[in-house]
Amino acid sequence: MSAPTTARKGARTYTMGQVLGTAFLFVLSVYFLLPLWWLLVSSTKSTGQLFSTNGFWFADIQLWTNLTNLFKADDGVFLTWVGNTILYAGVGAVVSTLISAAAGYVLAKYQFRGKEAVFGVIIAAVLVPKVMLALPLYLMFAKLDMVNTFWAVFLPSIVSPFGVYLCRVYAAASVPDELIEAGRIDGASDTRIFFTVSLRVMSPALVTVFLFQLVEIWNNLLLPMVMLQDDELWPITVGLTYWDSLRTTSNYGLTVTGAAVSVIPLIIAFILLQRFWRSGLTAGAVK
Amino acid sequence: MPTVAPRKVTVPPAPTSTKAGGAKRRKPVSHRKFVVGFLVPFGLLFVAMYLAPIAYAIVESLYTVKRSGLGLGPSTTEFAGLDNFARVFSDDAFLTAIGRVLLFGAVQVPVMLGLALLLALLLDSTVVKFPGFFRIAYFIPFALPVVVSALLWSFLYSPGSSPYQKLFALLGISVDFTGGDTVLWSLANIVTWAWTGYNMLIIYSALQALPEDIYEAARLDGASGWQIAWRIKIPLVRPAITLTAVMSVIGTLQLYNEPAIVKHIAPAIDSKYTPLMLAQTAGLENSDYNFAAAVSVVLALGTFLVSFLILRFARRKAV
């Protein structure tokens, strides 16, 4: 909590408004958390009990069996999907952040002809959602005979006009010219100044771009869905969607346990990294 | 808190301007290499993965494939002008899909943003206890990939086994989450569930960034909490609300993941339920690439236009 709120709070004791307000927020928190509770409970149930028992409470707990089933299913393909997801979303977001930072920094701190035009095109591109590009990209990659490859998903995923926009704005506002000048006087090259000094100053923006990209790549189902036929190349999302689409009883269990296994680490990471995403995800919004 | 400040004029204009890279006074050559070298990774990918597909879609949308004989003979590609666009706008399935997402957006976006705004104001006020807990509770659904949220909810909606259906039945209410009339609102619930917390957080951060003394005077004059919220706080965080509105509208027009997954349990969702699903079906299943390209172009232009209009409208009102 920030200090001013605490200070304000001291002035009053429990009022009707406080009780009603808190009660309202509590009811809503049940709405937001209950589905996750269902997922957690369901991941411990056998497929038979998944639908026959009370969805919001435990029955015979067989979490270990479910996990073994999950990691053994289809010759252990789930683990491959986990690895692929880390490559597409995790490595993809890191690479994307770096190239966005490099481009945004140069656009903010250096003068060259055509700079404003380049930036104008990038801004316009921010308003074209990437999902809309999935089909044209598929047709292009098909012509190049590159569909159904890792690169067909990875390369389109790492381009982020919004990331460049954010890095430029942030670098312009936060990296002082004096800092760059001082580096030059010390004889450091531009590249060295960027990596040792500027990048560090830009780190809040980098966290934002990283999180945005992570979420965006992770959420883009259409692109891997149209590009990849080979299940060895799928991210978790496409794999779970496939299992779910089979509509067989044994796959219900796999889908539920797979969903639980893939989101629990994310939820824990989100809670632990609160400080970062709170400033990070909203950095673009505060004007 | 990082802020978006007006761009500073940082580097004096280069006295010598060379073709690709400019220069500072001292070491023009090395700066140029640096500028080019740092722009190239993003630039190449941007051209290849962003501009090229846009250009490709536009070109494809202007051509058509004609087959001789009974569709079995050799095919030829011909320039078709705006024929494909005429087909798009006279296609009943496309018009239905567009109408559907517009109806969805007209209801879901205001409900979600209203809720997000209310939650942000409550969390920012002195009214509420445990704000830290509530903030994280509302935001957690955003941590889930949209696909997983949709899978999760499709289990919760699944006819016959839905725990929510059972819960409502206890209250004497019978609901069918996947029926033809209700499934659109079941999808709206998934989107609202997943994104309210995120929008709330954006508005909340803007509220927290407001200096306290702005409404201290109003409070001393005896203004109530609601008056302060309505007259002072909401107008001041309008840029944040606009941002959430633009993002939500874009999200609505590209609705895909939720219907594509809930489709598994809801026969009411066909393969042309939303514009993007329709484009996918046309392109991949029917191999009607030119039509799919035209749909993509229409969608991208439409999204661009709507976002632009919202931004303009918001700017005009703010002045």
Side-chain angles (χ1 to χ4, degrees):
Chain A
M1 276 323 302
S2 59
T5 316
T6 330
R8 270 188 269 161
K9 215 177 255 175
R12 296 185 192 174
T13 50
Y14 295 96
T15 61
M16 195 63 182
Q18 264 182 336
V19 174
L20 282 178
T22 308
F24 174 71
L25 291 190
F26 178 77
V27 170
L28 276 175
S29 67
V30 172
Y31 165 72
F32 286 109
L33 295 179
L34 199 58
L36 294 169
W37 172 249
W38 178 88
L39 183 65
L40 186 75
V41 167
S42 299
S43 67
T44 69
K45 288 181 181 171
S46 69
T47 309
Q49 291 186 325
L50 194 56
F51 296 123
S52 60
T53 58
N54 177 358
F56 299 117
W57 198 248
F58 296 96
D60 301 331
I61 292 180
Q62 55 149 18
L63 180 60
W64 184 249
T65 318
N66 289 349
L67 288 175
T68 332
N69 288 343
L70 174 67
F71 284 96
K72 273 199 207 147
D74 301 344
D75 299 322
V77 76
F78 186 75
L79 205 59
T80 314
W81 296 343
V82 172
N84 292 341
T85 303
I86 293 171
L87 282 178
Y88 293 125
V91 177
V94 170
V95 174
S96 174
T97 307
L98 276 178
I99 62 174
S100 302
Y105 176 72
V106 165
L107 286 170
K109 289 306 198 182
Y110 290 79
Q111 295 296 330
F112 53 92
R113 211 196 292 176
K115 181 169 113 157
E116 292 308 320
V118 169
F119 193 57
V121 173
I122 293 173
I123 297 251
V126 171
L127 291 182
V128 180
K130 216 182 265 181
V131 174
M132 308 265 182
L133 303 178
L135 278 174
L137 276 169
Y138 169 77
L139 301 178
M140 276 173 55
F141 275 87
K143 285 246 157 93
L144 298 171
D145 214 10
M146 271 178 72
V147 285
N148 207 19
T149 60
F150 169 78
W151 301 107
V153 172
F154 188 80
L155 291 179
S157 299
I158 59 178
V159 189
S160 171
F162 178 71
V164 175
Y165 164 76
L166 207 68
C167 286
R168 179 199 163 143
V169 170
Y170 197 84
S174 70
V175 182
D177 289 336
E178 296 75 31
L179 204 64
I180 300 175
E181 274 308 317
R184 285 191 186 133
I185 289 163
D186 290 346
S189 68
D190 286 302
T191 314
R192 200 188 147 94
I193 294 170
F194 174 75
F195 280 108
T196 55
V197 182
S198 308
L199 215 48
R200 196 161 304 164
V201 179
M202 288 166 68
S203 59
L206 301 185
V207 173
T208 307
V209 175
F210 174 79
L211 289 173
F212 260 108
Q213 276 301 94
L214 191 73
V215 170
E216 192 176 274
I217 300 174
W218 189 214
N219 277 342
N220 192 343
L221 175 67
L222 185 58
L223 182 72
M225 197 102 132
V226 299
M227 289 287 187
L228 307 171
Q229 285 81 51
D230 181 358
D231 66 357
E232 295 278 313
L233 291 170
W234 288 348
I236 298 176
T237 47
V238 177
L240 291 180
T241 306
Y242 170 72
W243 273 347
D244 187 61
S245 72
L246 296 178
R247 296 281 105 198
T248 58
T249 322
S250 64
N251 281 304
Y252 288 144
L254 290 179
T255 311
V256 168
T257 315
V261 166
S262 46
V263 303
I264 286 166
L266 278 176
I267 292 176
I268 294 172
F270 257 68
I271 294 175
L272 293 179
L273 298 174
Q274 268 201 73
R275 197 165 62 84
F276 293 102
W277 54 251
R278 274 191 59 205
S279 59
L281 279 176
T282 55
V286 183
K287 286 202 177 164
Chain B
M1 172 106 310
T3 52
V4 179
R7 193 172 62 84
K8 284 190 292 182
V9 180
T10 51
V11 181
T16 55
S17 50
T18 41
K19 190 171 171 281
K24 295 247 314 185
R25 275 155 300 181
R26 237 166 298 151
K27 294 181 283 180
V29 178
S30 78
H31 289 325
R32 192 177 114 182
K33 265 189 197 160
F34 175 77
V35 166
V36 173
F38 268 51
L39 274 180
V40 156
F42 173 79
L44 273 184
L45 283 166
F46 181 64
V47 170
M49 302 294 152
Y50 231 102
L51 300 185
I54 293 174
Y56 187 81
I58 293 172
V59 170
E60 282 283 306
S61 70
L62 298 175
Y63 282 84
T64 184
V65 176
K66 289 247 164 71
R67 287 193 171 79
S68 56
L70 292 163
L72 300 169
S75 61
T76 49
T77 307
E78 285 172 19
F79 184 75
L82 297 177
D83 286 2
N84 290 316
F85 292 95
R87 266 177 73 203
V88 170
F89 284 108
S90 59
D91 186 49
D92 284 340
F94 177 79
L95 296 176
T96 312
I98 284 281
R100 191 176 279 131
V101 291
L102 290 180
L103 173 66
F104 179 100
V107 176
Q108 190 270 334
V109 173
V111 168
M112 173 176 70
L113 295 185
L115 188 60
L117 177 63
L118 180 65
L119 291 175
L121 286 168
L122 279 171
L123 288 179
D124 183 62
S125 72
T126 55
V127 175
V128 167
K129 296 264 134 195
F130 325 113
F133 164 76
F134 290 125
R135 213 169 42 221
I136 188 99
Y138 303 153
F139 190 62
I140 274 184
F142 180 73
L144 272 62
V146 172
V147 172
V148 174
S149 315
L151 283 172
L152 175 53
W153 277 101
S154 73
F155 277 102
L156 296 172
Y157 289 151
S158 192
S161 60
S162 160
Y164 281 98
Q165 219 169 21
K166 289 175 190 162
L167 218 57
F168 278 109
L170 287 180
L171 303 169
I173 306 168
S174 100
V175 277
D176 175 13
F177 294 112
T178 57
D181 296 332
T182 45
V183 74
L184 187 65
W185 310 115
S186 300
L187 296 174
N189 172 57
I190 303 179
V191 177
T192 307
W193 181 78
W195 292 91
T196 300
Y198 174 72
N199 291 308
M200 172 207 76
L201 200 71
I202 287 179
I203 301 170
Y204 175 76
S205 300
L207 284 169
Q208 292 273 297
L210 298 178
E212 188 78 0
D213 47 341
I214 288 185
Y215 28 88
E216 204 50 54
R219 190 170 293 143
L220 290 175
D221 286 345
S224 72
W226 286 115
Q227 281 173 325
I228 293 175
W230 193 250
R231 299 255 172 86
I232 302 176
K233 290 184 178 180
I234 293 178
L236 282 173
V237 298
R238 188 155 33 209
I241 300 173
T242 307
L243 182 84
T244 58
V246 171
M247 290 191 303
S248 306
V249 169
I250 293 178
T252 303
L253 291 172
Q254 64 186 57
L255 193 65
Y256 174 81
N257 292 1
E258 294 86 355
I261 287 167
V262 175
K263 183 174 181 286
H264 299 160
I265 56 155
I269 299 180
D270 60 23
S271 62
K272 296 177 174 181
Y273 198 71
T274 70
L276 211 53
M277 286 172 81
L278 177 134
Q280 187 201 10
T281 305
L284 297 188
E285 280 164 39
N286 305 343
S287 299
D288 195 350
Y289 298 134
N290 306 104
F291 183 74
V295 173
S296 299
V297 170
V298 169
L299 277 181
L301 280 178
T303 312
F304 192 90
L305 201 70
V306 170
S307 325
F308 183 77
L309 288 177
I310 295 180
L311 288 171
R312 250 191 97 152
F313 177 71
R315 196 157 297 163
R316 188 178 302 165
K317 275 200 94 171
V319 171

